[in-house]
Amino acid sequence: MSNTTFKRYGAPAATALVMALVLAACGGGGGNPGAVGGTGSGSTGNGGTGTGTGGTTVTASPTVTLSFANASGASTNALTGATPLTVKATVLDASKKPVPNAIVTFATDNALAVFSPTAGTALTDVNGVASVTMRAASIASGGAGTVTATSNVAGTTITGTSNYSVGATALSFSTLSAASTSIQAYESTELSVNVLSGSSLYTEQPINVTFKSVCADKGSATLATTVATNNGIAKTVYRDKGCGTNDLITVSADGIAKPATVTLAIAPPRAASVQFASATPVNQSLVIQGKGGIGRTETAVLTFKVVDIFGNPLPGQKVEFRRYPANADVTVNKTTDTTDASGNVVTTVNSGATATTFKVQALLPNTAANGNPDISTMSDSIVVTTGQPVQRAFSIATDKFNVEGLNVQSSPSNPAATISVSLGDAFLNPVPDGTPVVFQTNMGLIGTSDKGGCSTVNGTCSVPLRAQAPSVATPGLPATPCNATTPDNTRPGLVTVCASTTDGTNFLSARTAVFFSGGTADNTFLNGARVSFNAAAPNDLGSISASNTKVFQLQFNDVNFNPLPAGSTVAITSMLNGNAAAVAPATVPNIAPHNASNVDDPTGTLISGNQGSIHTFSVSSTTPTNCTTTVQSSFNVTVTTPAPYNSVTTIPFKLTFTCP
């Protein structure tokens, strides 16, 4: 440069010249400068290098930068449960121009924050900006985290990061309110509480609120125990189920330090009825005072139950007890009491000195309403009896009167007969269970090895009678309450059984008689005359026309003129030249002792005459219409006693049929 030039331009020109020389020294002459990377709170892409005349240049890359803003649009990276943030990612290409429709993926620690949409992805707009909403993972979340945004521009993956803080959200409850804090039994009310952030409803996310009720814990009320807030409000319906007292309701939630409470005044349920629940003893009368014993009682325990209109038991209810009729000779031991937790109340009643029937009334005082009397109910009728048997209600019976017993011995498992007694009290009710009865016999064996009698059940009991020695009675032995006044009949083969008990003062007794029968028809009568048992000299029934039927009767007695064993079979056998109809009856019936007038006398006291059974036989000709000659018929009458003895008696007969 010439001096002229320098002078012309002066100092500015010199300065420019110096700057040019400096640039030349740096090698920048003729080269293109590289683009500088974008700036922001996130990372950017790296610049590239280029070659130019006199030196190198840096090549620019796509970038993604992050920023945070609150609901007001103010820039902040402080996140709380009450203040969500908008996260913006700006995507620029290498020329620093916005990239639209680029997919940006956001990621962070899910324990601290979550995104909306939950996928954490968004498309950039025309300004290259993609946005998502970030909320605290929970109101209790706290700490610091990093948001990473990732995108792809022209095949290049780019990322940007930015840090944020999370502060725990301070929430509180409003006053817990009830639509009505005073309700009647079994009514309902709505409970409501607000969840607040500061003084405003917290609506950013649902909060699970727990409702707790003292009565609900006991099963006497219902409500939803966990309710999620809706727009910051949690509601549930409280329904009474018989709480009957003040109920404290408490609400709580995770992250809320101070619970809220409200007290409901619940009216107690009203009694709807009192019910007779049970009586002890069951199905058993009381005995008069001083007449107790095994199986007897002078005290009844009565249980009543008080319930409300839904049948639920009511505790704490006063109940009064009254005898009915009022002059009944019984003592109500508790005249008033209070129901327990199950609604039950108990009283006891003692019998007096008089046999009677009565009831007990249970009454709820001060329950009269709408013109109706106090609520009450009656127990079942309770009977007070002497509890002791009386002679007029003492009966005895045997299942068989004539048993095979003279020549055989019965086994314990197969007794000859069973003797039963039935006992009643003064009201002709069965005596109490366990009333003892003693049995005695003048022949054979009676009772069991553990006792010679029995104890009543529902007023009856029975013992076995076995055939064995002695088979001959000794007058007056053994001495019994029965033969103390009237001697036993000592007829051979007749067993007398005496049953006795006591009413506490006197002996009561009843007797019955049983035949120990022989097994053969030793004394069989035809038309009042004994029959022959000799086959060589059969009993002759005479002659009749072949067109007629011979009808005759036999009475079968054993050696003592007593009946053969019941169940013995009677039949016509070995019939020759004749026809036999069925014998009537075909078996020996059960025959009680009878007197001379043929009237039964089961006691055997007035027994008289032959006691055997009478059977009817019918025999006819084989040629009743075409008779050509006189024909003699022969046959046997056979009597067989029951198994296992099967003793057989055969009686021969003959009969002549003549032609008309």
Side-chain angles (χ1 to χ4, degrees):
M1 178 180 292
S2 67
N3 290 334
T4 303
T5 303
F6 180 78
K7 290 178 179 180
R8 183 183 298 172
Y9 293 102
T15 301
L17 177 61
V18 172
M19 291 299 294
L21 292 174
V22 172
L23 290 173
C26 292
N32 294 323
V36 179
T39 62
S41 59
S43 63
T44 65
N46 295 322
T49 59
T51 302
T53 304
T56 61
T57 62
V58 178
T59 303
S61 300
T63 60
V64 56
T65 59
L66 289 169
S67 64
F68 304 99
N70 61 20
S72 301
S75 177
T76 179
N77 65 347
L79 175 67
T80 69
T83 56
L85 297 178
T86 299
V87 184
K88 294 183 179 181
T90 302
V91 180
L92 302 177
D93 62 12
S95 301
K96 305 308 176 195
K97 294 181 179 179
V99 179
N101 295 320
I103 297 175
V104 178
T105 300
F106 297 86
T108 191
D109 184 352
N110 290 335
L112 291 174
V114 293
F115 296 112
S116 178
T118 56
T121 58
L123 287 176
T124 57
D125 59 15
V126 294
N127 297 315
V129 178
S131 300
V132 292
T133 300
M134 183 171 67
R135 291 183 171 84
S138 71
I139 60 173
S141 297
T146 300
V147 174
T148 300
T150 304
S151 188
N152 188 290
V153 177
T156 300
T157 298
I158 54 176
T159 60
T161 61
S162 188
N163 299 329
Y164 63 94
S165 65
V166 181
T169 304
L171 299 181
S172 63
F173 285 122
S174 68
T175 299
L176 175 58
S177 63
S180 174
T181 57
S182 179
I183 62 175
Q184 295 299 311
Y186 299 109
E187 288 187 351
S188 60
T189 187
E190 184 179 68
L191 304 174
S192 176
V193 68
N194 297 340
V195 176
L196 304 175
S197 175
S199 60
S200 303
L201 287 171
Y202 176 70
T203 59
E204 294 304 321
Q205 57 182 313
I207 301 298
N208 287 328
V209 177
T210 299
F211 287 80
K212 186 175 180 62
S213 155
V214 175
C215 288
D217 289 345
K218 297 187 297 185
S220 56
T222 60
L223 76 171
T225 56
T226 302
V227 179
T229 56
N230 183 11
N231 293 323
I233 303 173
K235 295 180 179 181
T236 187
V237 174
Y238 175 97
R239 188 175 302 279
D240 176 50
K241 291 179 62 180
C243 178
T245 186
N246 291 346
D247 192 3
L248 178 65
I249 313 299
T250 304
V251 293
S252 60
D254 291 340
I256 301 179
K258 185 178 180 180
T261 62
V262 69
T263 298
L264 302 181
I266 314 297
R270 289 196 295 265
S273 70
V274 56
Q275 305 167 351
F276 178 57
S278 65
T280 304
V282 179
N283 299 324
Q284 183 177 338
S285 60
L286 304 183
V287 296
I288 63 174
Q289 192 175 45
K291 297 294 184 180
I294 297 176
R296 304 183 182 96
T297 180
E298 300 171 9
T299 303
V301 180
L302 308 179
T303 302
F304 296 85
K305 186 172 188 176
V306 179
V307 297
D308 61 18
I309 58 174
F310 292 101
N312 298 316
L314 289 182
Q317 301 292 306
K318 182 180 179 181
V319 181
E320 295 178 355
F321 303 103
R322 303 171 183 176
R323 60 188 175 181
Y324 185 86
N327 62 349
D329 185 17
V330 296
T331 301
V332 179
N333 296 314
K334 282 196 303 183
T335 58
T336 183
D337 203 352
T338 302
T339 57
D340 61 16
S342 300
N344 293 328
V345 65
V346 176
T347 190
T348 61
V349 184
N350 276 18
S351 61
T354 306
T356 186
T357 61
F358 70 97
K359 294 183 179 182
V360 171
Q361 181 189 48
L363 180 141
L364 305 180
N366 304 318
T367 56
N370 302 320
N372 296 318
D374 286 335
I375 296 170
S376 67
T377 193
M378 289 284 188
S379 70
D380 290 343
S381 292
I382 303 170
V383 177
V384 179
T385 73
T386 62
Q388 303 294 340
V390 295
Q391 184 64 58
R392 68 191 183 97
F394 192 159
S395 64
I396 188 170
T398 179
D399 65 336
K400 297 175 185 176
F401 280 105
N402 40 317
V403 300
E404 191 155 20
L406 278 187
N407 304 309
V408 298
Q409 179 171 302
S410 54
S411 67
S413 61
N414 186 28
T418 298
I419 312 298
S420 302
V421 292
S422 296
L423 283 72
D425 61 16
F427 287 89
L428 301 183
N429 300 129
V431 295
D433 289 352
T435 299
V437 182
V438 175
F439 289 82
Q440 296 164 294
T441 180
N442 61 358
M443 291 168 57
L445 203 66
I446 196 160
T448 58
S449 60
D450 58 339
K451 54 186 175 181
C454 59
S455 298
T456 61
V457 175
N458 200 23
T460 66
C461 65
S462 60
V463 294
L465 174 66
R466 288 154 54 180
Q468 69 157 64
S471 58
V472 177
T474 299
L477 290 179
T480 68
C482 300
N483 60 28
T485 55
T486 303
D488 298 333
N489 193 309
T490 55
R491 178 187 177 101
L494 184 67
V495 182
T496 300
V497 175
C498 179
S500 61
T501 188
T502 179
D503 62 4
T505 303
N506 304 303
F507 277 107
L508 312 176
S509 63
R511 78 171 88 196
T512 189
V514 176
F515 292 112
F516 273 1
S517 301
T520 57
D522 296 289
N523 292 295
T524 299
F525 293 89
L526 171 64
N527 299 326
R530 283 189 175 86
V531 298
S532 167
F533 296 94
N534 187 354
N539 298 281
D540 191 355
L541 296 176
S543 63
I544 61 170
S545 171
S547 61
N548 294 331
T549 298
K550 178 65 177 181
V551 178
F552 63 98
Q553 290 183 322
L554 297 176
Q555 185 189 51
F556 300 111
N557 300 275
D558 70 1
V559 66
N560 294 316
F561 297 92
N562 296 326
L564 296 178
S568 298
T569 60
V570 181
I572 291 180
T573 60
S574 303
M575 172 62 75
L576 181 64
N577 298 326
N579 293 321
V583 180
T587 58
V588 174
N590 196 24
I591 300 174
H594 46 275
N595 60 22
S597 300
N598 208 30
V599 177
D600 284 351
D601 174 25
T603 67
T605 305
L606 302 176
I607 189 172
S608 177
N610 296 343
Q611 300 291 303
S613 58
I614 297 175
H615 301 259
T616 301
F617 303 84
S618 298
V619 179
S620 60
S621 171
T622 57
T623 57
T625 57
N626 298 313
C627 181
T628 58
T629 183
T630 297
V631 175
Q632 186 178 72
S633 173
S634 64
F635 58 90
N636 293 329
V637 171
T638 301
V639 182
T640 306
T641 60
Y645 311 112
N646 299 117
S647 175
V648 178
T649 301
T650 301
I651 307 172
F653 287 90
K654 66 179 181 178
L655 174 64
T656 301
F657 292 105
T658 62
C659 294

